[in-house]
Amino acid sequence: MLESDKRKTRRYPSIARVQIPEVFSGSALLKDISITGCRIECTMHVDIKEQTAYTITLHPEVAAKIHSFDLTVECKWFRPGHYSCDIGFEIKKSPKGKDFQRYVDYLSWRQER
């Protein structure tokens, strides 16, 4: 069974950029997101710890017409690769919940089109 088959909420593919200043400089790619979690891909060295809370700034793609917003997340897993790494997060809270919900709704709409 695939890990994605175990999820309670559907994940939507994304091409947004994210920043986690506590972990790395620059930005990384948001691979997918749901209302409960997300996965990012980094092509740089990261010093991240599982079960630790971080604040990420999400910059949606221009077509979404949604401003950047922050999410408080907790690292659940880390998978290093040859040229990049994937990091899975549980979303704990969204101070600007409307922008976050609008973005997930946009990705859902885009996928259904």
Side-chain angles (χ1 to χ4, degrees), residues 40-58:
I40 69 168
E41 178 183 62
C42 296
T43 57
M44 64 203 86
H45 172 74
V46 295
D47 183 19
I48 196 160
K49 295 171 182 47
E50 291 183 21
Q51 309 304 316
T52 301
Y54 297 96
T55 298
I56 67 172
T57 301
L58 195 145

Side-chain angles (χ1 to χ4, degrees), residues 14-33:
S14 172
I15 54 170
R17 306 300 297 169
V18 295
Q19 294 176 303
I20 312 174
E22 303 159 76
V23 178
F24 55 81
S25 61
S27 62
L29 176 67
L30 178 71
K31 299 288 284 191
D32 60 44
I33 191 166

